[in-house]
Amino acid sequence: MLMDRQRVRDRENQCIQEQPPTCTATCPIHVDARGMIDSIRKQDFSAAFAIFNRFVPYPRIISRICDHPCQGECRRNEVGGTIQINALERAAVDYSTKRAGGVTFSSRKSQRIAVVGSGLSSLTVAYDLASKGFQVVLFEAADRLAGHLRELGEDRLPQQAIDDDLAVLKDLSIEVRLNARVGEGAGAAASLSALTEEFDAVYLGVGPDGAAAFAHELALNEDGRIAIDSLTFATSNPKVFAGGSQRYAPAAFSPITSMYDGRYAVLSIERLFQKASLSANREQQGAYQTKLFTSLKGIAPAGAILMAAPEQGYSREEAIAEAERCIHCECLECVKVCEYLAAYKSYPKRYIRDLYNNYSIVLGMHLANKLLNSCAMCGLCGTVCPEKLDMGDYIREVRQATVEINKMPPSVHAFALRDMEFSTGEQFTLARHQPGHDASSYVFYPGCQLSASSPGQVFQIYGHLQQKLEGGVGLMLGCCGAPADWSGRENLFKETIAAVQKQWQGLGSPRVITACSSCYRAFKNFSPAMPIESLWTVLDQVGLPASATPRAARTVAIHDACATRHDNGVQDSVRHLLEKLGVQVAELEDNRSLTTCCGYGGLMSFGNAEVAQKVIDRRIHESEADYLTYCAMCRDNFAGKGKRSYHLLDLICGSGEDDPARKGPGYSQRHENRAKLKTRLLREVWGENVADEKEPFELIITPEVAQLMEKRMIMVEDMRKVIAHAESTDEKILDTTTGRFLAAFRPVSVTYWVEYSVEGTKIVAYDVYSHRMEVS
Amino acid sequence: MAQKVIEPETRKLVCNKCQQEMAMAEVSATYLGANFEIELMKCPSCGLVYVPDSLATGKMEQLELSLEDK
Ligand code: SF4
Ligand code: SF4
Ligand code: SF4
Ligand SMILES: [Zn+2]
């Protein structure tokens, strides 16, 4: 299905990583406290100051007297005590080597605004408007600015700090008129109506008791103060706005609330000029509840750093130590558990957008193809995400859409799809009733990977099931189509599932018993008509074969299969079986629904071998114990990296295919094992006379060449085709220095080369490689 | 699109069918609609071309991958 922009956006919004931390959300003007504190932690006080100053026009004043509602909501409070945010602001101001954040000017605008009063709300209005390019005239009744602030006392707020902060008024060319009382009667510099005549807007920040002078011109509320809309700061006169302690009295003076009033009154004044709605889109104005989730798991409690000299505030070192206590609130729950998400150094909200852009780009490079093809589609992220956002689901959609528009890089999944083609082809598929039965109550579906890894165990377990279950146990060999699903080949996947369904119906629609977690999931989700049970549940019910001997002396740690992370029943059965086998079990911390992928899911190892390696590495180092898996790919992947791992059937069958240190078979051997399993079953179970496939010549493959074949994903059958073609057509090149032949053959879209020599009736291979480019 | 890639060859290679010594020649390589000119060993008689391992798993593979991302 092609992608829908709106659905993508909805998904992006589901990720709350970019929501602010509680400190910022609670601060009325949303200071980026986390960012500021990060800078202090990095000992960069100037950067911290710049961040603070970006939000706060009067940093020296606020850093000393803010009533810091942020601190009440700081998450650190739950583990040792709230971060002293305001004290850190002061440290940022005190230890910054740059004195001002620098005023930025916007283009000059024609509108003029009168600001009445010089408390924090008025000063903020003046600053914000002037820095946006408006012309501001500030009217102050007294002979100096900020009279109220100056009365707070030298130790709370030094005069010097006020003067330093107010210097900015001059930088902004704000016209200040002192001794200029606005109101009625003798000695007034101007009346409000005169100001509304002369100016485009007026802001009144007249202190808690300043209403009387405007009683005739503005509506008052029942407390006798100017009636002010608490969201827009509008008064009854559309050109006049008001705020500050006049609005929130009799509540005590709150510096940050006054600054907030000024800031959002400015928003209204701008909207007045733009003739826009004053009240629209103000949901996140002022303190609000953030949606950000932050886990406190693993955070050691630590109390606030105390000041050696409280009147001086934090020393540099104290401030840095306090900043180190900040837990840098953010979500990243999924990134913490997923190597793939961590590898690209960002988080789903961004990835979702990047992947959509990568999909919709028409010209140019698709730089995010690797991001697209590295996910294991294992569902762990969706399990741990507080918003249940599952990247795997999204990745499937994008892969499908990318395939649909023909932009999936051809080489990524080609090999896996060929492997699947083998497993859905003549050489492997089979559907039979139990010999001597013409109906089946059950059918055993071992899956293609177990059949490739441990064909002997499949044979043995099928025998056991026939003995234990009534009504006939049929057998079906094939592939559920998971690789098609993972690679975004939606149609191929549907066809594959449909083919399995048809065979199943051909057997009379019996209950399906599968030994593979991926098959289990695929059938359960995409073929709900098929009643499916896991082999483990069935064995738990019918009992183990006599060969099942409790031999694993060491404790095993269970690695649950990611495809059945939400199937508690399957997981319980596995544990019951281990108990019956007398095996000691150590649970991994991330077990059951929190289990990880083994690096095979989503065809991750084909899309990004490096990340797949990291996934495996991380998992195998979680415990010293031998691992116990119940998926063939998990076992082979872990064992391939040197982790001793059992498949549950190793313990159940006791057949000799059960050394936990054994490496899984290579790609070619996997094909051969599947084909041979089918032949063996036909011969030994159904008594059919199946002729051996006779190879026309003996091919000698040295261990070095075998290694190259794995690395380069070349099958022995490809090599045989090259040699057969060269020998029959004589299209080959003789290297006269070595006496060896060099020959190529291109069955479909890949050209394979083999370097070989003919030694009597035998062929010896020395090198093998391939390319997709066509050369002529 | 045209881009020249040259791969020197020091071995003496003979086309087995024609019994002719192969020699460097310009051949064309195509992938996903893009064309390249490459100097490779070629049989002057039947046109059989030799692609060495180092080219196939080196520059050629890189080129294939970058074309796939186009
Ligand atoms: S811990 Fe840090 S980021 Fe989190 S709320 Fe407190 S100050 Fe803000
Ligand atoms: S690999 Fe698994 S946990 Fe990571 S993004 Fe993909 S589905 Fe989610
Ligand atoms: S868990 Fe991941 S996807 Fe979910 S909200 Fe957090 S960062 Fe976003
Ligand atoms: Zn020739």
Side-chain angles (χ1 to χ4, degrees):
Chain A
M1 212 171 53
L2 295 178
M3 300 202 72
D4 170 44
R5 183 72 188 103
Q6 188 51 46
R7 261 173 66 85
V8 174
R9 239 179 243 137
D10 291 346
R11 283 220 210 237
E12 268 174 47
N13 291 337
Q14 223 184 317
C15 171
I16 43 76
Q17 164 66 7
E18 285 179 9
Q19 292 283 314
T22 49
C23 49
T24 298
T26 312
C27 170
I29 59 167
H30 307 316
V31 168
D32 177 14
R34 183 181 62 188
M36 179 194 74
I37 295 170
D38 283 346
S39 293
I40 295 180
R41 191 188 306 119
K42 291 182 213 138
Q43 318 204 359
D44 188 345
F45 286 88
S46 300
F49 176 72
I51 292 174
F52 181 51
N53 196 192
R54 206 166 67 226
F55 295 86
V56 175
Y58 304 104
R60 292 162 193 82
I61 298 172
I62 287 295
S63 69
R64 279 176 165 79
I65 65 166
C66 185
D67 39 317
H68 50 70
C70 55
Q71 293 183 194
E73 296 298 322
C74 168
R75 296 296 310 282
R76 200 14 133 173
N77 204 17
E78 296 159 56
V79 263
T82 189
I83 299 293
Q84 302 298 302
I85 300 172
N86 193 222
L88 288 176
E89 290 169 348
R90 181 170 164 190
V93 171
D94 287 351
Y95 306 125
S96 169
T97 50
K98 301 208 184 74
R99 292 321 299 160
V103 178
T104 48
F105 294 94
S106 301
S107 61
R108 220 166 148 70
K109 313 239 172 22
S110 62
Q111 287 97 340
R112 299 176 71 234
I113 301 97
V115 175
V116 180
S118 64
L120 269 174
S121 82
S122 296
L123 287 170
T124 302
V125 171
Y127 178 100
D128 281 10
L129 284 172
S131 55
K132 287 170 199 272
F134 295 103
Q135 300 166 48
V136 177
V137 180
L138 187 86
F139 292 82
E140 168 53 52
D143 56 358
R144 56 175 193 169
L145 290 177
H148 170 64
L149 292 174
R150 290 180 192 279
E151 283 155 21
L152 294 174
E154 193 64 17
D155 36 306
R156 225 188 126 194
L157 180 59
Q159 302 294 315
Q160 191 61 47
I162 300 174
D163 292 337
D164 286 351
D165 268 355
L166 295 191
V168 75
L169 299 177
K170 218 172 140 209
D171 301 341
L172 285 165
S173 311
I174 292 167
E175 183 185 338
V176 176
R177 297 189 192 167
L178 296 174
N179 303 308
R181 181 170 66 80
V182 174
E184 319 272 299
S191 67
L192 179 59
S193 52
L195 291 187
T196 54
E197 283 287 303
E198 189 190 338
F199 291 88
D200 297 288
V202 178
Y203 177 79
L204 299 177
V206 293
D209 313 314
F214 309 100
H216 298 308
E217 281 154 301
L218 296 175
L220 303 184
N221 62 20
E222 57 263 36
D223 299 332
R225 296 197 311 280
I226 300 169
I228 304 170
D229 184 304
S230 62
L231 192 65
T232 64
F233 307 93
T235 67
S236 56
N237 182 327
K239 280 175 88 174
V240 180
F241 298 84
S245 49
Q246 164 68 203
R247 177 182 72 83
Y248 59 76
F253 172 51
S254 160
I256 199 65
T257 307
S258 287
M259 191 164 264
Y260 156 82
D261 280 23
R263 172 138 304 158
Y264 288 99
V266 166
L267 177 63
S268 294
I269 291 169
E270 285 187 279
R271 288 185 179 184
L272 172 76
F273 296 161
Q274 297 156 357
K275 302 193 169 51
S277 156
L278 292 189
S279 58
N281 301 325
R282 292 202 186 232
E283 293 75 21
Q284 301 205 326
Q285 171 175 321
Y288 64 94
Q289 183 111 36
T290 180
K291 282 189 1 223
L292 184 70
F293 173 87
T294 302
S295 165
L296 299 177
K297 193 177 156 206
I299 294 180
I305 301 296
L306 301 177
M307 297 171 192
E311 62 295 343
Q312 314 260 310
Y314 276 135
S315 69
R316 284 180 61 100
E317 288 63 38
E318 287 166 349
I320 292 164
E322 179 65 4
E324 271 162 5
R325 281 199 323 124
C326 169
I327 55 189
H328 188 97
C329 292
E330 59 184 342
C331 179
L332 297 187
E333 287 299 293
C334 56
V335 180
K336 290 182 206 164
V337 297
C338 170
E339 288 292 335
Y340 154 62
L341 292 175
Y344 291 86
K345 309 255 178 286
S346 191
Y347 43 84
K349 189 182 182 76
R350 299 268 178 90
Y351 295 146
I352 289 169
R353 189 172 326 157
D354 291 352
L355 286 164
Y356 178 75
N357 292 342
N358 187 66
Y359 157 79
S360 51
I361 189 172
V362 180
L363 287 172
M365 296 295 282
H366 292 71
L367 294 172
N369 277 346
K370 199 148 196 190
L371 177 67
L372 174 62
N373 290 317
S374 306
C375 170
M377 298 163 79
C378 71
L380 179 56
C381 51
T383 308
V384 300
C385 172
E387 302 291 322
K388 297 287 161 243
L389 174 60
D390 192 324
M391 273 299 276
D393 286 347
Y394 177 67
I395 290 285
R396 175 183 286 105
E397 273 177 39
V398 190
R399 287 188 192 172
Q400 287 176 351
T402 306
V403 167
E404 194 173 336
I405 60 169
N406 230 338
K407 284 290 174 192
M408 184 58 93
S411 67
V412 191
H413 300 126
F415 187 78
L417 290 171
R418 255 189 83 196
D419 188 49
M420 180 182 129
E421 203 182 324
F422 181 91
S423 298
T424 55
E426 195 38 43
Q427 282 179 281
F428 182 56
T429 49
L430 185 71
R432 294 279 170 113
H433 291 302
Q434 184 175 331
H437 290 67
D438 49 15
S440 296
S441 334
Y442 300 90
V443 62
F444 180 41
Y445 194 91
C448 63
Q449 299 297 15
L450 181 66
S451 304
S453 293
S454 302
Q457 296 177 350
V458 171
F459 188 90
Q460 208 177 328
I461 283 297
Y462 180 45
H464 177 65
L465 292 174
Q466 292 177 70
Q467 277 175 23
K468 291 284 182 175
L469 292 166
E470 303 287 325
V473 183
L475 180 81
M476 274 171 66
L477 298 180
C479 169
C480 66
D485 179 36
W486 286 330
S487 65
R489 270 65 174 188
E490 198 179 357
N491 292 334
L492 177 62
F493 178 51
K494 283 184 184 150
E495 286 160 22
T496 308
I497 286 264
V500 174
Q501 267 175 353
K502 215 174 138 208
Q503 285 189 320
W504 165 72
Q505 281 158 352
L507 293 177
S509 308
R511 300 187 72 79
V512 180
I513 301 169
T514 181
C516 170
S517 286
S518 294
C519 299
Y520 184 91
R521 189 201 61 102
F523 294 151
K524 198 153 202 178
N525 291 355
F526 299 99
S527 184
M530 281 167 60
I532 176 103
E533 263 173 84
S534 114
L535 174 64
W536 320 124
T537 310
V538 173
L539 288 178
D540 189 23
Q541 286 158 4
V542 304
L544 293 165
S547 58
T549 40
R551 286 160 309 119
R554 292 177 61 183
T555 302
V556 298
I558 301 175
H559 165 76
D560 288 292
C562 66
T564 46
R565 69 170 67 254
H566 296 303
D567 298 276
N568 265 319
V570 175
Q571 295 157 7
D572 286 343
S573 302
V574 168
R575 285 157 177 82
H576 292 163
L577 291 175
L578 287 168
E579 204 182 309
K580 288 180 190 169
L581 286 162
V583 175
Q584 291 289 326
V585 169
E587 291 287 352
L588 293 172
E589 196 180 324
D590 292 329
N591 64 358
R592 296 186 180 252
S593 71
L594 296 179
T595 191
T596 67
C597 174
C598 68
Y600 177 66
L603 302 180
M604 152 184 259
S605 56
F606 297 96
N608 194 332
E610 266 166 69
V611 171
Q613 284 304 329
K614 281 192 190 165
V615 169
I616 300 172
D617 270 338
R618 172 158 163 175
R619 187 57 165 174
I620 62 181
H621 288 110
E622 277 176 42
S623 164
E624 287 294 313
D626 291 351
Y627 279 9
L628 183 287
T629 71
Y630 44 98
C631 166
M633 293 314 280
C634 298
R635 200 215 70 85
D636 289 354
N637 276 342
F638 294 160
K641 283 287 272 177
K643 178 74 184 176
R644 289 168 52 91
S645 305
Y646 293 98
H647 189 283
L648 183 50
L649 283 181
D650 295 348
L651 304 181
I652 291 172
C653 292
S655 57
E657 281 175 335
D658 52 5
D659 175 7
R662 74 189 186 277
K663 305 269 187 268
Y667 293 123
S668 300
Q669 190 64 46
R670 301 184 77 79
H671 277 198
E672 201 179 320
N673 285 352
R674 289 179 193 132
K676 280 192 174 155
L677 172 64
K678 176 176 174 176
T679 308
R680 179 175 175 203
L681 285 160
L682 285 176
R683 282 187 187 144
E684 297 181 26
V685 177
W686 282 280
E688 287 187 18
N689 217 334
V690 191
D692 266 322
E693 288 267 342
K694 192 101 177 70
E695 298 296 358
F697 54 87
E698 192 182 337
L699 178 61
I700 312 242
I701 292 171
T702 61
E704 292 74 41
V705 172
Q707 240 177 29
L708 277 182
M709 290 167 65
E710 289 305 299
K711 186 168 152 228
R712 296 177 172 175
M713 298 193 288
I714 296 170
M715 313 285 289
V716 68
E717 62 213 58
D718 299 324
M719 296 170 64
R720 285 186 168 279
K721 276 184 206 157
V722 174
I723 296 161
H725 177 262
E727 291 302 303
S728 65
T729 60
D730 209 22
E731 276 177 31
K732 56 185 181 183
I733 298 158
L734 176 68
D735 179 342
T736 54
T737 38
T738 59
R740 296 172 186 169
F741 292 116
L742 306 157
F745 184 59
R746 188 177 180 90
V748 194
S749 47
V750 178
T751 303
Y752 298 97
W753 284 88
V754 181
E755 180 180 354
Y756 67 94
S757 65
V758 183
E759 314 285 341
T761 57
K762 292 177 195 161
I763 303 275
V764 183
Y766 303 96
D767 189 19
V768 56
Y769 54 95
S770 68
H771 54 82
R772 304 182 78 86
M773 218 168 251
E774 273 187 279
V775 182
S776 60
Chain B
M1 194 201 297
Q3 192 176 316
K4 223 171 168 113
V5 187
I6 296 174
E7 197 64 22
E9 178 60 63
T10 49
R11 288 174 288 177
K12 188 179 160 211
L13 302 177
V14 171
C15 173
N16 207 63
K17 198 168 165 182
C18 313
Q19 287 301 317
Q20 291 247 0
E21 193 170 323
M22 296 176 79
M24 280 304 221
E26 195 142 280
V27 304
S28 87
T30 320
Y31 189 51
L32 299 175
N35 286 308
F36 304 84
E37 299 297 311
I38 319 182
E39 296 259 323
L40 280 178
M41 295 297 265
K42 187 175 177 177
C43 170
S45 164
C46 72
L48 186 64
V49 176
Y50 172 58
V51 178
D53 184 339
S54 59
L55 179 68
T57 58
K59 262 182 252 167
M60 195 178 255
E61 190 183 348
Q62 282 165 22
L63 215 56
E64 288 171 3
L65 291 177
S66 75
L67 286 169
E68 292 192 350
D69 285 338
K70 271 259 165 70

